[in-house]
Amino acid sequence: MLVEFARAFERGDVDALCDMFVRDDALIFYGTHDKLHFTRWAEIEASFRRQSELLKDLVCRITGDVQVRLLAGGAAACAGTAGFGIHATMGGVRFDLPALRLTCTVERHGDHWRFVQLHLSVSDRPFLDSVGHVLESA
């Protein structure tokens, strides 16, 4: 499901993205900054539409291991990876985010899984690299 999300986001296929999410007010989507924090379906859909207009030359890849845990007897699951890469141009500025963290919760709806929560964030790797020696000695 995460691979399908990455492919649909890369293509700017808002309809495919819409099919992956529940459409009720229990939905939570938190992105890398406060302009990407949404708790209602209409806000998320509008954001996907806007991003599909603004992001050019978009490449999305899952480069890290994906960890999955089934919940509620298989009715739900949570998953995450520290290797979700986004490479694109926005407003003429090229950016590369090779190691975003992505976590999600999905629910089974009939034969399909739907996102009920999704979170993308920038890795703290520079911070961890600078203080790793302190953490290792603790």
Side-chain angles (χ1 to χ4, degrees), residues 68-103:
V68 178
R69 303 293 184 268
L70 288 177
L71 308 169
C78 59
T81 181
F84 184 75
I86 296 178
H87 313 278
T89 302
M90 183 168 53
V93 176
R94 181 79 186 154
F95 65 91
D96 295 297
L97 301 169
L100 293 170
R101 293 175 297 210
L102 183 150
T103 59

Side-chain angles (χ1 to χ4, degrees), residues 15 39 43 61 66 70 74 77 84 86 101 104 113 130 135:
D15 291 335
T39 57
E43 296 170 337
R61 295 287 182 266
V66 175
L70 288 177
F84 184 75
I86 296 178
R101 293 175 297 210
C104 66
W113 291 92
S130 67
L135 297 174

Side-chain angles (χ1 to χ4, degrees), residues 10 15-16 18 22 38 43 55-56 59-62 66 79 84-85 91 93 96-97 99 110 112 116 118 131:
E10 180 179 78
D15 291 335
C18 291
V22 297
F38 307 112
E43 296 170 337
L55 294 171
K56 305 298 179 205
V59 176
C60 294
R61 295 287 182 266
I62 295 175
V66 175
F84 184 75
V93 176
D96 295 297
L97 301 169
H112 302 283
V116 294
L118 190 103
V131 299

Side-chain angles (χ1 to χ4, degrees), residues 7-78:
R7 288 181 181 152
F9 190 71
E10 180 179 78
R11 291 190 314 267
D13 189 341
V14 177
D15 291 335
L17 290 168
C18 291
D19 287 341
M20 294 181 194
F21 287 82
V22 297
R23 298 190 186 195
D24 60 32
D25 288 344
L27 180 61
I28 298 172
F29 184 109
Y30 270 26
T32 58
H33 58 79
D34 63 356
K35 294 184 189 284
L36 290 175
H37 293 182
F38 307 112
T39 57
R40 289 189 166 66
W41 170 248
E43 296 170 337
I44 296 168
E45 182 180 14
S47 176
F48 282 143
R49 292 197 186 284
R50 185 73 173 136
Q51 290 177 71
S52 72
E53 294 169 5
L54 294 175
L55 294 171
K56 305 298 179 205
D57 306 316
L58 179 61
V59 176
C60 294
R61 295 287 182 266
I62 295 175
T63 60
D65 292 337
V66 175
Q67 301 294 318
V68 178
R69 303 293 184 268
L70 288 177
L71 308 169
C78 59

